[in-house]
Amino acid sequence: MFRLCGLIAVFLVAAFTSFDASADRRVALVIGNSDYRQFPALKNPVKDAEDVSKTFRLAGFEVFVASNLTKLQFEEQFRNYLSAIDGADLAVVYYSGHGFQIGGENFLIPVDASLKQAADIEVQAIKLNDVLEQMRSKSKIQVIVLDACRNNPFPRKNYWLRDQLITAGNAGLAQVRSSLNTLIAFATEPGAAAYDGNGDLSPFSAAFSRRALAPNQEIRTVMAAVRRDVVEATNGLQVPWENSSLIDEVVLMRRSNRPSLPPVLEKVVLSGVGPVDLGLPEPVDVDGGTITVSIERAPALGHLMLDGKPVEIGEPIQGKDLPRLQMDVPKGIAAQDEVDMLAYATHDNWGGQTQGILVFRVKSGEGAHGEQIMASLEAEQKQQVLERGIHITGAAEAIENRDIRVPIGVGPVALNLDFPTYDPAVSLKVSGYPATGTLSLPDRTLSPESSLMAGEVDRLRYEPQIGVAAPVEVGFEIRADSSSSKPATMKLSPSVDPCDQAAGEPLDLQGVVPGLLPNEIGAEAVKACEAAVKAYPDVARFRYELGRALLAAGKVDQAKKAIQEAADRGHVRAVFELGYLNATGTGTPVDRKQANAFYAAASDKGDPYGMTSWGRALFNGYGVERDTGKGLDLLLKGAAMGHTYAMNDLAAIFTEGRNGVPADPARAVAFLKAGVERQDMYSMNLLGRNYLAGVGVKKNPGQAQGLFQKAMDLGQPYAPASLARMYRDGVGVEQNLDEAQRLFELATARGDQSGAYDRAALEMQKGDKADQAIAVRYLAFAVALDLRKELQGAQTTLTKFAVKTKTAALKQMRGELKSKIPAKGSLDDQLVDAAKAVWEQANPRRDLF
């Protein structure tokens, strides 16, 4: 008896020993581009992407999958992906489609690219190094897999690359210098072409999908196997290649969980009544594999039987057969109660093992007493079957037809299913994995083949995929043994927090929505974001959005505090915003050096706003020693992320030629057109001016008028004056001085100093019919709004008016103010101060435009 207890203790130690478990964040972006509009279609990339995305889902990754992406669609999908990999352990990008190299730089080609002009590569293609740098700024380990080495079908032979025209390579991709803890895999060696193959998948993608599912294989071992397969499939014509600087192991298909089963069970077995069912539950492999069972210690008092045949120590049986295992204790054994033990081990496909123990008490089945025990056990067994059926039914009811709202961008959210049973024999198999997003438990991510035990259901979590608002369905098969199961399906509905809707910002790589401009933030935003900060105190994004809402409400001090808190908690756009506050003197003295420090920090973390502002400062030497090359490079990176401010800066540089960068109006127009495509009202106004003057494009006043009108309708401050000049001068439209006057006044109301100056000039052109006080008024506005002192003529012209006229204009403007302003300085100074106060009264925040 003591010996038996010792053996039980030994097996208990083994049974409760487990692997360290953690739910690492692993996210993959899979893209397949086949249907090119300007070039011959590729046969396999879309199918490649579908197949590879399934592979990553089976391996437990969160998967973003997209096909036939245009440049704009890629930017949106990539931004959502970057938001998802923020802080991830492993980030993977798999691309199948066209790609080529220029000057050692690799580019991935969207399906809408034409690449006819020298500047098209910068606005139509995706630079691989930009993708890698963004991944590096967000994640611990980066893997990029490229099945993109087809022959170069593009019409031009040279393209702009920074400040040089470079000849494109004919075939293949260039070798990439990877940073620490990065692996970049190519479908073929540098400079060589890859093949689509004869089947539904390319030889490389087919081999990758097959080999990546090998359990517990390190990725470099996987890629070696892929290389062997592709070399064999192409008769040596294609040799996959990779460049690795990994210092950590990367295992795609991790299988470290042990089969799940109760470690210790108890059972009463009667002697002399023939084989008795032991009622052992079927072991469940949470990773979805098959399980075998081996007997480690057979009972001493009887014989184990399966389907009428004896089972010996070490003999393997299938896990699904374990519930049919029986015990036959011969007659005459256990005249008095005796204790015996069965020890068994379960084994999965990838080396996992769990011990189980059945401790049973042997009683005599002879005589009336034995019959009573038998009847009692049979009744107990029937009750157990009944209760188990009730458990399964209740479990299905707890899941079936549930519709649970799950917030986006706050991490994994507990589903709180309130599961009605912890019966160790009840398990759930994922029969329908959600189309997007990730199911997980705190210790592991679930995959389409996963199972979980009843006791784990209350810890089930779901994280919606950023950028996806459509509801998803999750299906389960609930079972207690191989003969009884029930299906159940629930709906998970992703929801965007009201704070994100009210104050999210464009191009925020930690955001979850397309975002709003400052002038689009409404009065309800502060309340919504205060609620979000209270509900999710650890989500830094909500603190930043609260800061944006407070700025829009004019509460600058509170806004600065919220923005600083967000920056301290790791929100990168908040770091940029601190730079903006210092650069503009919003709630703090102007400090260009401090602003640049914040811009540089945000830029280093991949923020498009930070890259643009820091690049602008470096290129022009604003508060820092000029570095034209680095500045231009950062502006190009900002533009590549879809930031239209960077595009407009680049357009200005290329239109004029600055700091050693040659003028190229056609290159400037390419960036302005890219901005217009992204609905940027500033790009519209600038491109309209190009069409009006015929700079970089053929002169087209009608096109200019349409762009000015659209920009004006969107609220652009300078477009009204651009359109007004067309009506004033009768260029492309019939001359209409009244319409010009109206538009110049609208431009002034939006803060356009040149529009104000032109309105004053238009008034003075009326000769004897001119209202001199109105001319003075708009000259004062021009000087007040000219923060960069670009309109020296406005101040000079203002001084020439009579004192009586100026006094009348000053009286009128002071009468419009709700509060008095001190009268100081000359009459001209007082006019400018009054004009500034009138404008700020109507426009409390200059940055709205």
Side-chain angles (χ1 to χ4, degrees), residues 498-728:
C499 177
D500 289 316
Q501 294 175 327
E505 186 165 29
L507 306 189
D508 184 351
L509 302 188
Q510 293 163 298
V512 300
V513 292
L516 302 173
L517 296 173
N519 59 311
E520 297 172 316
I521 297 175
E524 78 287 352
V526 171
K527 185 176 181 181
C529 290
E530 286 176 339
V533 169
K534 183 177 181 180
Y536 306 103
D538 296 329
V539 179
R541 178 180 79 253
F542 291 133
R543 293 180 187 271
Y544 173 61
E545 291 172 354
L546 173 60
R548 293 194 81 215
L550 289 166
L551 268 182
K555 300 178 180 179
V556 176
D557 290 340
Q558 295 178 51
K560 283 174 55 185
K561 180 181 177 182
I563 292 167
Q564 183 67 61
E565 289 176 349
D568 292 343
R569 286 167 168 78
H571 195 74
V572 178
R573 181 58 58 78
V575 176
F576 161 83
E577 191 73 15
L578 292 174
Y580 178 81
L581 296 179
N582 278 272
T584 57
T586 304
T588 186
V590 173
D591 188 337
R592 187 75 208 196
K593 184 176 180 181
Q594 185 63 54
N596 283 340
F598 285 122
Y599 289 158
S603 176
D604 288 344
K605 289 292 186 180
D607 180 60
Y609 279 42
M611 289 189 289
T612 299
S613 294
W614 182 224
R616 184 187 300 128
L618 287 168
F619 186 86
N620 295 294
Y622 293 154
V624 66
E625 184 177 352
R626 180 181 293 166
D627 187 334
T628 302
K630 185 176 180 180
L632 182 64
D633 194 49
L634 285 171
L635 287 170
L636 288 167
K637 290 179 188 296
M641 290 300 297
H643 193 18
T644 55
Y645 292 7
M647 296 175 187
N648 295 336
D649 276 344
L650 291 165
I653 291 169
F654 299 138
T655 296
E656 304 167 10
R658 294 181 184 173
N659 301 341
V661 176
D664 188 329
R667 192 179 184 189
V669 166
F671 279 100
L672 292 178
K673 286 183 176 180
V676 171
E677 192 177 11
R678 289 156 183 79
Q679 301 302 305
D680 181 75
M681 57 188 181
Y682 291 91
S683 300
M684 294 173 189
N685 184 58
L686 293 170
L687 184 58
R689 293 180 182 179
N690 282 63
Y691 275 111
L692 200 60
V695 176
V697 288
K698 187 177 180 180
K699 185 180 289 189
N700 189 332
Q703 190 83 357
Q705 181 187 10
L707 287 165
F708 292 149
Q709 184 67 53
K710 188 171 183 180
M712 185 177 73
D713 293 344
L714 290 171
Q716 210 272 350
Y718 308 117
S722 297
L723 192 56
R725 294 180 188 105
M726 293 185 70
Y727 282 107
R728 180 194 64 191

Side-chain angles (χ1 to χ4, degrees), residues 149-203:
C149 311
R150 277 75 175 182
N151 285 322
N152 181 355
F154 311 117
R156 281 191 69 91
K157 293 302 181 185
N158 61 340
Y159 295 93
W160 277 111
L161 195 62
R162 298 182 183 89
D163 57 351
Q164 299 181 59
L165 277 170
I166 305 291
T167 301
N170 290 325
L173 299 178
Q175 183 172 345
V176 179
R177 286 184 60 187
S178 61
S179 59
L180 194 63
N181 238 6
T182 297
L183 182 142
I184 303 173
F186 297 85
T188 191
E189 58 194 318
Y195 298 91
D196 254 356
N198 298 318
D200 288 338
L201 304 175
S202 75

Side-chain angles (χ1 to χ4, degrees), residues 13-87:
V13 170
F16 286 108
T17 301
S18 61
F19 293 106
D20 289 334
S22 61
D24 288 349
R25 296 199 61 240
R26 308 192 304 161
V27 191
L29 169 62
V30 182
I31 298 171
N33 281 349
S34 289
D35 298 337
Y36 285 88
R37 301 173 186 176
Q38 303 289 328
F39 318 117
L42 296 173
K43 183 179 66 172
N44 289 326
V46 167
K47 296 174 184 176
D48 290 342
E50 292 172 356
D51 192 66
V52 170
S53 67
K54 292 176 183 176
T55 297
F56 281 118
R57 281 200 179 96
L58 287 170
F61 281 72
E62 178 183 359
V63 182
F64 288 73
V65 59
S67 298
N68 295 323
L69 291 181
T70 65
K71 178 62 162 62
L72 264 68
Q73 289 169 339
F74 174 85
E75 289 173 9
E76 180 182 5
Q77 189 74 264
F78 189 52
R79 286 194 295 267
N80 290 335
Y81 169 71
L82 289 176
S83 188
I85 67 170
D86 192 35

Side-chain angles (χ1 to χ4, degrees), residues 318-384:
Q318 295 299 308
K320 62 183 178 60
D321 295 332
L322 191 62
R324 302 205 315 277
L325 196 64
Q326 296 178 313
M327 174 78 168
D328 186 6
V329 180
K331 183 177 180 180
I333 300 295
Q336 297 181 348
D337 292 359
E338 294 192 46
V339 176
D340 204 348
M341 184 184 78
L342 163 67
Y344 58 99
T346 60
H347 311 268
D348 62 21
N349 292 345
W350 21 84
Q353 179 175 311
T354 303
Q355 279 73 40
I357 299 172
L358 174 62
V359 178
F360 48 87
R361 192 174 299 277
V362 179
K363 296 177 178 288
S364 174
E366 300 178 53
H369 181 65
E371 292 177 1
Q372 291 176 358
I373 295 175
M374 175 67 79
S376 175
L377 292 176
E378 289 176 349
E380 182 180 325
Q381 186 176 16
K382 289 179 180 179
Q383 180 64 27
Q384 186 180 54

